Amino acid sequence: MNFDFPTFLVVASALTGGIWLMDAIFLAPKRRKLATAEGAEADVATTTYKEPLIVEYSRSFFPVIFVVLILRSFLLEPFRIPSGSMMPTLLVGDFILVNKFSYGIRLPVLNKKIIELGSPQHGDPVVFKYPKNPSVDYIKRVVGLPGDTIYYQDKTVYINGKAMEQTPIGPYEGIGSGARMSGTIKSLENLDGVEHTILVHPRAPDFAMGCQQLMYGPITIPEGHYFVMGDNRDNSNDSRCWGLVSDENLVGKAFAVWMNWDTELDAFPPIAWERIGKGIH
């Protein structure tokens, strides 16, 4: 079961804030009045004025919870990379930061856009709600924008009939959980002006079983939708398998790695130190 952290933050903020507010408006004035009542005994007054424990906790926790809610909902959100579908750009165990306002301001939980600020561009590494299970977050690279005609053949992406240039770099040498990808070909792809590295397995079929969205020819991307692919082209569950990402499912743009923790690294602690602070392109 996936823990719904955004809903928890909203509920916790409303609960602690509500208790604090109700006490400030209705109960605290009565306590103060009793405490200062003429002729009240000192020990009775002190006991009467004492703030209830639930109010004390709510007053202490509300600011912290509310600040986390605002930061996570509208500014930045951390994610952990669980698979190798975006290798070599992102490795298993990377902890990344996502800009939540790159593609507009959205209400938490409802994910409804209330302010337009921008839209995905070719080559953007985006986090989104998996269309087949919105409780799960995916990260892929934007390949097709609304109005684009997309095709994929011989490991090459075609946008509006133009092949996206690839420059081979050499065999890839993986580490830790990514060691199994060693020997695949690492290339520099120019995706409509955005350069980034990809991995391809020359002997793997262009379309794996169940991933046949472009098998029978190009498709044109409708308005409000995006075609996404993993940088690890032959080991990625992406738009070739399950179709397009709706604008409603977008979460934000990934821009940096702030930590890496891969238990399969031959090191203690199992951290790839050189990845900390690395930008995502």
Side-chain angles (χ1 to χ4, degrees), residues 2-52:
N2 294 298
F3 179 63
D4 193 344
F5 194 52
T7 300
F8 166 77
L9 288 176
V10 171
V11 172
S13 294
L15 186 61
T16 55
I19 291 174
W20 186 17
L21 180 62
M22 294 296 289
D23 178 77
I25 295 175
F26 298 108
L27 302 181
K30 292 181 179 180
R31 291 198 303 271
R32 287 193 293 268
K33 185 176 180 180
L34 289 173
T36 57
E38 185 176 355
E41 296 181 5
D43 57 339
V44 174
T46 302
T47 303
T48 304
Y49 183 67
K50 186 176 180 182
E51 189 176 63

Side-chain angles (χ1 to χ4, degrees), residues 119-241:
S119 59
Q121 301 300 311
H122 290 127
D124 282 3
V126 298
V127 172
F128 56 91
K129 301 295 183 183
Y130 179 39
K132 290 187 175 297
N133 183 3
S135 66
V136 177
D137 295 305
Y138 269 29
I139 179 168
K140 305 292 178 185
R141 193 174 297 277
V142 175
V143 172
L145 304 177
D148 283 347
T149 298
I150 303 298
Y151 190 46
Y152 187 68
Q153 185 178 42
D154 297 330
K155 312 300 179 186
T156 301
V157 173
Y158 290 81
I159 301 178
N160 299 323
K162 179 182 177 182
M164 298 296 101
E165 180 183 355
Q166 292 182 20
T167 304
I169 297 174
Y172 179 69
E173 295 184 11
I175 61 172
S177 299
R180 63 185 180 84
M181 296 309 302
S182 295
T184 54
I185 303 301
K186 182 178 179 179
S187 297
L188 183 67
E189 180 180 64
N190 187 325
L191 196 61
D192 196 32
V194 177
E195 292 189 334
H196 61 101
T197 51
I198 63 172
L199 295 181
V200 295
H201 193 307
R203 292 188 296 275
D206 282 347
F207 302 99
M209 185 67 70
C211 297
Q212 302 172 346
Q213 288 289 328
L214 301 178
M215 190 172 186
Y216 303 107
I219 64 171
T220 299
I221 313 302
E223 192 66 32
H225 291 79
Y226 301 90
F227 194 96
V228 299
M229 295 175 68
D231 290 346
N232 192 351
R233 291 291 161 78
D234 298 303
N235 289 273
S236 175
N237 178 26
D238 52 39
S239 287
R240 293 169 294 178
C241 307

